[in-house]
Amino acid sequence: MLKVAEIFQDNMVLQQGKDLFIWGTAQKGSRVVIEIQDKHVEAAVDGEGNWMAQLPPLMVSVQDKMRISGSNDETIELDNIAVGEVWIAGGQSNMEFPLKFEKHYQEEKKNTANGRIRFYDVPKISFEGQRQAFDYKKTGIWRVAAPEEIGYFSAVGYYFAKELEKSRKVPVGIVGCNWGGTSISAWIPEETVKNLNNYWYQKYLEDTQIDMDQYWEQELHNPQNDTGNLVDNPMNEYIMSNTVTMEQMGQYLHEKMGISFEQMAEGLQRPQPQSFPGCLFQHMVKTIAPYGARGVLWYQGESDDVEGQQYLYETMLGVCIRDWRKIWKEDLPFLIVQLPGFGEWMSGQSLDYPKIRACQEKITDAMEHTYLCSIADAGEEKDIHPKDKQVVGSRLALLARGHIYGENLLCDPPRCVSGERDGNRIALSFVNADTGLVVKGEKINALSIRSETGEIHYTFRIDQNRIILETEDLGAGEVSIAFAKTNWYCVNLYNQAGIPAVPFQISL
């Protein structure tokens, strides 16, 4: 029977201007024909019933049709196809965060009908049999931006698409491939994590020292694995729409679900299927690769803030990018959101976000076609889910416009590259700030000077791309200048494009 991979549906967006892969299953030994935009390609079906066709580049279009033909007069016709720009939105809950729960949602609903913006959410599957055990009718669908549909969109993905469609004047499709509360080890092939043999694989070995047959049988009946309806879930709406305290959460659980906060926490101590190394790479990423895309938006790392293990994130993020590029058969650009300030939320708190942020910056320095997106002014001290995703999507779009589409604009965050000490004065020089730095306020938030005897008071002034710090007495010993090197902060130092500076620390 002729079939095409699930992501190929009515209303989909195909990537313009590059060869595209279309794949599916059909009768062994037969041939499959793909037709679109006067293009005609054929593919042979192998001995296992799989086929993959390679289409030549397509032109921008708002409404096209695709015809897929097999043996015995079998045909599949896909309608209302757009051709434009496609981006994959990967990560955990802050990328998953549905627009329905976002700060500007009600305003967006008023003027949101746009057939050129579309969204596909990869079904959240982490183990064999999960999809058959639960209802996934509301996911795995290409949705066109409309008031009744945009609530299902990734909020970050939506605002990115909105800005990109406006600037590029082409259809934009976002493929959401994300899952809240997941470490990066789940998004990497299991074999890769095994070969690294670090904390994440050792934790997996410890977690699976149980009767796994019994475990998987229980998971098939565990309501926590019913992941097919994120948006219409009352618990998700309560948590994501509000900044909830532990006491409020306990009251909600008692009144709505008849359980205590402690009972819920105890259930979460059980090994979670979506936490196992490689599970989401296997059951989500591989289902959409190598779907034609321009690049990847990546917002993840909160769940890698594990005591003493944060330094691993540099290696893990690097191999994740490498292995995604390998399965996509090209060096996809990665636009990486640097984690913003965060303090604590319910029973959880940030342990060492500065190390995670440093790893994210190191990867963008070390790997080609990777770029850092600063949202250092957009975190929330008491909520791990900042409600304003518009700023995140807009800054990612700015990065894409500058680095991927070649627009001549300032799109990178200011970065301190050197410091000079002259008597009681310190001059800090920045890149990505040639048109001048801006401080929004009377002081520079999160910037401190310390000596071995304590913190040193300073005044400041801006001199184009430099910050001049004046003190009464720097002393003779070494001083350390630190900026945004704590878990929580809210940066107010920007360049002329309104992009906040990234953390740094130097000694002089």
Side-chain angles (χ1 to χ4, degrees):
M1 180 178 179
L2 178 65
K3 291 184 179 179
V4 68
E6 183 178 39
I7 194 170
F8 299 101
Q9 301 178 10
D10 292 345
N11 305 317
M12 66 181 172
V13 182
L14 296 174
Q15 177 61 48
Q16 65 161 324
K18 63 167 67 175
D19 287 354
L20 301 177
F21 294 99
I22 314 292
W23 66 95
T25 58
Q27 182 180 331
K28 299 175 184 178
S30 64
R31 297 191 70 79
V32 173
V33 177
I34 314 292
E35 298 171 278
I36 184 174
Q37 285 192 1
D38 297 324
K39 305 287 193 303
H40 177 110
V41 298
E42 295 188 18
V45 184
D46 66 21
E48 296 183 352
N50 299 312
W51 58 268
M52 178 175 283
Q54 186 170 345
L55 278 170
L58 301 176
M59 301 292 290
V60 170
S61 172
V62 176
Q63 194 169 41
D64 254 308
K65 295 179 182 292
M66 176 182 287
R67 181 181 175 89
I68 306 167
S69 307
S71 60
N72 302 320
D73 296 325
E74 289 183 299
T75 61
I76 297 173
E77 293 190 352
L78 303 179
D79 199 7
N80 196 33
I81 298 170
V83 180
E85 292 299 301
V86 177
W87 284 80
I88 301 153
Q92 54 183 109
S93 57
N94 278 305
M95 182 62 85
E96 177 186 73
F97 198 99
L99 189 62
K100 180 181 179 181
F101 308 136
E102 197 266 345
K103 179 180 179 180
H104 307 283
Y105 171 60
Q106 294 299 331
E107 186 64 28
E108 285 299 319
K109 282 179 66 177
K110 296 176 183 177
N111 300 294
T112 196
N114 188 339
R116 291 154 64 95
I117 297 176
R118 306 182 187 187
F119 178 70
Y120 177 84
D121 202 4
V122 179
K124 293 174 176 59
I125 305 295
S126 62
F127 62 93
E128 293 291 342
Q130 183 175 6
R131 184 148 195 186
Q132 292 72 34
F134 301 100
D135 183 0
Y136 284 87
K137 292 187 182 70
K138 291 190 175 182
T139 190
I141 302 167
W142 274 101
R143 301 177 186 272
V144 178
E148 67 275 12
E149 293 283 18
I150 63 165
Y152 290 89
F153 284 43
S154 153
V156 171
Y158 170 79
Y159 288 119
F160 173 86
K162 181 180 178 181
E163 291 292 325
L164 205 61
E165 187 272 335
K166 181 180 178 181
S167 65
R168 305 304 299 171
K169 296 180 171 49
V170 298
V172 179
I174 301 296
V175 177
C177 189
N178 38 64
W179 193 320
T182 54
S183 82
I184 199 167
S185 64
W187 297 102
I188 300 170
E190 180 182 354
E191 191 64 23
T192 298
V193 183
K194 181 179 179 181
N195 290 338
L196 292 171
N197 196 28
N198 59 25
Y199 164 83
W200 293 105
Y201 196 70
Q202 291 303 314
K203 181 178 185 300
Y204 167 67
L205 294 179
E206 293 173 9
D207 285 346
T208 53
Q209 294 298 308
I210 56 177
D211 184 334
M212 291 305 292
D213 288 337
Q214 182 183 42
Y215 172 82
W216 288 121
E217 180 61 30
Q218 291 174 337
E219 292 306 304
L220 287 171
H221 301 89
N222 182 352
Q224 296 300 317
N225 294 323
D226 185 0
T227 56
N229 196 3
L230 176 70
V231 173
D232 298 325
N233 182 308
M235 171 75 81
N236 288 330
E237 182 161 6
Y238 181 66
I239 290 175
M240 292 187 175
S241 297
N242 307 284
T243 296
V244 180
T245 66
M246 191 162 64
E247 291 74 17
Q248 290 171 328
M249 189 66 196
Q251 183 177 355
Y252 177 88
L253 291 170
H254 175 73
E255 293 178 354
K256 301 295 183 181
M257 302 178 66
I259 63 173
S260 67
F261 187 91
E262 290 72 22
Q263 286 173 309
M264 184 187 77
E266 184 179 343
L268 294 176
Q269 294 303 311
R270 173 186 173 85
Q272 305 296 306
Q274 68 271 22
S275 70
F276 292 158
C279 64
L280 305 184
F281 184 87
Q282 179 66 32
H283 295 285
M284 293 179 67
V285 180
K286 288 179 70 173
T287 67
I288 59 169
Y291 190 84
R294 185 65 70 188
V296 178
L297 313 174
W298 187 258
Y299 190 169
Q300 191 273 335
E302 298 93 334
S303 289
D304 288 76
D305 182 30
V306 176
E307 186 171 3
Q309 307 301 324
Q310 293 89 347
Y311 73 97
L312 295 173
Y313 194 71
E314 181 181 355
T315 297
M316 300 294 280
L317 179 56
V319 297
C320 180
I321 293 170
R322 181 200 69 193
D323 286 346
W324 279 42
R325 287 174 171 175
K326 183 177 180 180
I327 198 173
W328 254 275
K329 306 177 183 179
E330 62 175 306
D331 284 347
L332 288 175
F334 271 67
L335 311 188
I336 299 167
V337 179
Q338 189 174 46
L339 297 188
F342 167 63
E344 59 184 359
W345 179 62
M346 289 198 283
S347 61
Q349 62 181 0
S350 53
L351 300 174
D352 198 346
Y353 268 37
K355 276 196 175 68
I356 299 287
R357 297 180 191 119
C359 290
Q360 293 170 322
E361 186 174 0
K362 287 177 182 177
I363 283 296
T364 60
D365 287 342
M367 297 186 73
E368 291 186 348
H369 313 304
T370 59
Y371 307 97
L372 190 69
C373 176
S374 174
I375 57 167
D377 57 343
E380 293 188 23
E381 184 178 9
K382 301 295 185 181
D383 199 330
I384 201 169
H385 301 122
K387 308 310 180 191
D388 185 354
K389 302 302 185 192
Q390 188 177 78
V391 66
V392 187
S394 296
R395 292 210 181 118
L396 283 167
L398 196 64
L399 265 185
R401 290 171 60 194
H403 286 294
I404 311 306
Y405 299 107
E407 293 187 45
N408 184 21
L409 47 77
L410 182 59
C411 62
D412 293 297
R415 294 176 58 176
C416 181
V417 291
S418 66
E420 295 181 7
R421 179 173 172 173
D422 181 12
N424 292 325
R425 190 189 78 161
I426 293 172
L428 303 173
S429 297
F430 289 74
V431 293
N432 307 322
D434 290 344
T435 54
L437 292 164
V438 176
V439 176
K440 297 183 179 180
E442 300 299 316
K443 66 176 184 175
I444 304 175
N445 293 346
L447 179 67
S448 65
I449 306 174
R450 299 190 69 87
S451 69
E452 61 180 12
T453 59
E455 190 164 350
I456 300 173
H457 176 73
Y458 66 85
T459 59
F460 77 93
R461 62 183 174 87
I462 301 297
D463 177 22
Q464 292 297 310
N465 67 326
R466 300 193 305 164
I467 299 176
I468 310 300
L469 305 175
E470 301 275 2
T471 72
E472 291 185 0
D473 184 9
L474 272 179
E478 185 177 80
V479 296
S480 175
I481 302 96
F483 176 72
K485 298 299 286 186
T486 54
N487 287 319
W488 162 247
Y489 54 70
C490 187
V491 166
N492 66 340
L493 174 64
Y494 299 84
N495 60 18
Q496 294 290 335
I499 306 170
V502 298
F504 67 86
Q505 184 165 344
I506 59 174
S507 296
L508 298 170

